[in-house]
Amino acid sequence: MSPKLRFAILDDYQGIARPHFAHLEDRVDIVCFPKTLDPHIPAEQEALVKRLKTFDVILAMRERTPFAASTIAALPNLKLLLTTGTRNLALDLDAFTQQGIAVAGTEGRPPGVNATVQHTWALILGLARHLARDDAAIKAGGWQGTLGMGLSGKTLGLLGLGKLGSQVGKIAVQAFGMRVVAWSTNLSQEKADEQARAQDLAPGSFLVAPSKAEFFTQSDIVSIHSVLSDRSRGIVGAEDLARMKPHSLIINTSRGPLIDEPALLEALQTGHIRGAALDVFDREPLPLNSPWRTTPWGQGGRSEVLLSPHMGYGEEDLLHGWYEEVAENLERWLNGEELLRRLN
């Protein structure tokens, strides 16, 4: 009888993946590694290779653990890399292909308003209405101490007007009567009107700012919905933050490196804007000594800061659905059948 193949499940923070593979345990040895190692740190890269060197199949959750060419080359037993989502920008697909390692993803998004769009609005409302601060105050024996920011009539700035940005904008228009402006490098009013029509809104519902500077000057709330690339890295810099109004808010549910993190920390530590709500960070998970964790935000003239641990897509139905798709694909591969949703 041939030995079982070894299967590693990475970065399953909620511990929900393994039951989806229970029917395959007579064919594969399953090991779960819920703690993320960052290969950008040499000691953790060494530990990551040591951890994964003996595995035939690896399951990566979205972009939590990057797989660069150097990591892939150091995993001689790896035959199949499975990932959740329709794409994973942390994977060097060319390197996988060169090593003859198949890569496959998932689809499985429930219909309706995107999970990240819902989370974006949870962060906007939570920050504007001081929900986390007031919850903590009540539980500590306090009562009222802050006033919320009304949204009706305010200007929502969407940095990026793709599917997610336009869904966020639709809610702003229909639910809160907000004015919506948008900006991205190649965005035209014609494209903005197409996105408005796709959301059953009238042309002109999303107005393209005449410049990046005007976008930040006009916006009361800036919400970021751009894809991270070499071109977009740091697209929100110190000059942009300096143009924001003193009462303004910035929301990021896309990727941490889209904002110049030191510049954002400086703006918030000096109270230049009213606040920020962040679901994504330059390094994830956040180190325990990160200033995002340790700074007394909202005190001593500092801005309000609301944080969540990259949960924009973290819905029960979505993640369980992804793991079911991965399990189906793994079984197909074990049976010698064609993989679904190949990425390379």
Side-chain angles (χ1 to χ4, degrees):
M1 184 175 181
S2 59
K4 293 182 184 179
L5 295 174
R6 304 202 73 212
F7 174 42
I9 299 175
L10 305 186
D11 307 325
D12 174 20
Y13 298 154
Q14 289 79 20
I16 63 172
R18 186 164 190 145
H20 294 282
F21 301 91
H23 64 294
L24 300 175
E25 291 201 40
D26 61 336
R27 305 175 70 181
V28 293
D29 279 324
I30 302 174
V31 183
C32 298
F33 298 102
K35 183 178 179 181
T36 299
L37 294 173
D38 185 350
H40 298 106
I41 300 171
E44 294 195 18
Q45 163 70 355
E46 184 179 345
L48 179 66
V49 169
K50 183 177 180 181
R51 168 188 283 182
L52 299 178
K53 205 164 189 176
T54 64
F55 286 91
D56 304 279
V57 183
I58 295 172
L59 167 56
M61 166 54 77
R62 291 291 301 272
E63 295 164 14
R64 291 176 181 174
T65 297
F67 281 83
S70 58
T71 303
I72 298 164
L75 303 177
N77 290 339
L78 186 59
K79 303 174 183 67
L80 173 65
L81 190 289
L82 299 166
T83 183
T84 55
T86 56
R87 64 181 177 181
N88 187 335
L89 298 179
L91 304 180
D92 188 331
L93 293 180
D94 289 339
F96 277 111
T97 301
Q98 290 169 12
Q99 296 290 335
I101 301 167
V103 180
T106 64
E107 294 177 7
R109 283 191 176 273
V113 178
N114 185 279
T116 301
V117 172
Q118 297 179 50
H119 198 74
T120 297
W121 275 104
L123 289 177
I124 292 173
L125 291 169
L127 183 61
R129 309 302 298 191
H130 302 291
L131 293 185
R133 177 192 282 197
D134 287 349
D135 174 77
I138 290 173
K139 291 173 179 175
W143 195 237
Q144 291 186 12
T146 59
L147 293 173
M149 172 183 177
L151 300 183
S152 297
K154 295 289 196 304
T155 296
L156 172 66
L158 298 171
L159 200 156
L161 193 64
K163 181 178 179 181
L164 300 188
S166 58
Q167 284 191 9
V168 171
K170 178 179 182 177
I171 294 169
V173 171
Q174 293 189 331
F176 298 103
M178 299 181 76
R179 175 176 178 264
V180 177
V181 299
W183 180 87
S184 64
T185 306
N186 298 311
L187 182 64
S188 66
Q189 189 59 53
E190 182 181 4
K191 291 180 181 177
D193 289 344
E194 289 177 5
Q195 290 288 23
R197 282 190 285 267
Q199 297 299 326
D200 298 320
L201 297 173
S205 296
F206 305 147
L207 299 172
V208 177
S211 67
K212 186 183 181 187
E214 278 293 309
F215 171 81
F216 282 97
T217 300
Q218 291 182 27
S219 300
D220 298 298
I221 299 173
V222 171
S223 188
I224 300 174
H225 301 283
S226 296
V227 174
L228 180 63
S229 66
D230 290 339
R231 188 178 69 172
S232 65
R233 186 177 297 272
I235 196 168
V236 180
E239 290 184 2
D240 306 308
L241 296 168
R243 291 189 174 100
M244 294 179 68
K245 304 172 184 178
H247 68 263
S248 62
L249 310 175
I250 189 165
I251 316 296
N252 191 5
T253 55
S254 292
R255 290 295 181 269
L258 291 166
I259 305 179
D260 180 335
E261 187 173 83
L264 180 58
L265 282 165
E266 173 69 16
L268 296 170
Q269 287 167 340
T270 58
H272 174 69
I273 61 175
R274 179 167 177 160
L278 308 173
D279 186 48
V280 289
F281 308 90
D282 281 10
R283 184 179 171 193
E284 298 179 8
L286 278 177
L288 294 179
N289 63 350
S290 166
W292 295 117
R293 292 183 186 265
T294 60
T295 303
W297 299 112
Q299 303 175 31
R302 300 176 191 87
S303 304
E304 196 80 27
V305 172
L306 181 63
L307 308 177
S308 60
H310 202 151
M311 290 298 292
Y313 63 94
E315 290 186 343
E316 293 176 351
D317 291 345
L318 179 62
L319 265 68
H320 281 292
W322 278 347
Y323 285 134
E324 287 175 9
E325 288 186 64
V326 172
E328 176 192 10
N329 236 359
L330 177 56
E331 186 169 16
R332 292 178 66 89
W333 184 77
L334 291 170
N335 292 338
E337 300 171 7
E338 184 179 354
L339 286 165
L340 304 175
R341 299 167 290 275
R342 279 288 296 264
L343 300 182
N344 69 342

